[in-house]
Amino acid sequence: MAASKVLAGAQVVLPTGTLTDGRVIVDGTRIAGSAPADAEVIDLAPGHWVVPGFVDIHNHGGGGASFTSGTVEDVLKGVHTHRLHGTTTVVASTVTGEMDFLAQRAGLLSELAEQGDIAGIHFEGPFISPCRKGAHSEVLLRDPDPAEVRKLMDAARGRAKMFTLATELPGGIDSVRLLAEHGVIAAIGHTDATYEQTVEAIDAGATVATHLYNAMPGLGHREPGPIAALLEDERITVELINDGTHLHPAAFELAFHHAGADRTALITDAMDAAGFGDGRYMLGPLEVEVKDSVARLVEGGSIAGSTLTLDRAFKRSVTVDGLAVDDVVRAISANPAKLLGMYDKVGSLEPGKDADLVVLDAEFELKGVMRKGEWVVAPTR
């Protein structure tokens, strides 16, 4: 097989717009600006799309494997499952646990980040509100002490990308400042904060809203709460889980319209069952039942992550919500890559970047996935 490949005949989504009957040139592991004469030409079917590989900043596992408690092999299995669905860059998210256990997980996951298998670590918990704990063990929750935040940062050996915090708790604002000083994303989530407290956290350096709407007070006309503060501030990128379960379509449309395509990051918040199937699973220390692809705690019934994959989120955003394809590409690839500080490598189809891409058909079904120039899913006509 030729070292260089040319994907031809599809609609190619670039940062500057969409090319009809465009070409993407791959040379080795990277996208190139020109192709040699002996390049392999891959003609894609009419109506197909080529878009950048998806970037998921909030993901707990998949394929029956857990990022939160599994072995190295389990984590790699989960990563591969999401690659099969177009996610070529994934951040591994933890859930609330004992501090020593989380530090141990950070060590394991940081090695995989150093190898390039994952893009980094997201600590979701234990520094969250018991009032909005969701699928987190209440007995293990704690206030966001900056010293303990620093302990997990150190355990991650520079691979911590994001912490989700209830910033209204004691130590919350100081923890946000600590994270911001070290270039780690402070995300507001699982929070019972008021509007005013949320503004204070943003001013201190918070830049992400963890799964907006979920695990926070609702939007009120007299007490707008965190949702209004997070949507209105240009410094905040809002995570949205577009699976049809976590958000009503009207709530999704409201957030996307207000934050705009440049301040939205589509995520999965996936757990083990993503790409695997219904059944009983463990999410940290809590048991989860997945039925009809919806994950809920066995005790209490709270939604416990999702079974979403980003190819489904992409299709739903276009076909159900009516978003423009280039807007979805920004939300599912470019924006999360920028948040991670990786936009020089991934998140768009530009010469010099990693050859991470997804091929979709005219109905936005996934047909091909390439990561660093190698097919994970070879395209079919």
Side-chain angles (χ1 to χ4, degrees), residues 47-49 54 85 311-312 314-316 319 358-368 380:
H48 277 42
W49 297 79
F54 308 145
H85 293 274
D311 57 334
R312 285 170 45 211
F314 194 112
K315 179 175 180 177
R316 180 180 176 86
T319 63
V358 176
V359 180
L360 303 168
D361 68 14
E363 284 73 44
F364 299 97
E365 291 288 343
L366 184 142
K367 292 297 179 181
T380 56

Side-chain angles (χ1 to χ4, degrees), residues 233-248:
D233 199 299
E234 294 295 322
R235 295 170 289 183
I236 291 291
T237 299
V238 298
E239 293 183 348
L240 296 175
I241 308 171
N242 195 17
D243 61 353
T245 298
H246 280 77
L247 300 176
H248 188 283

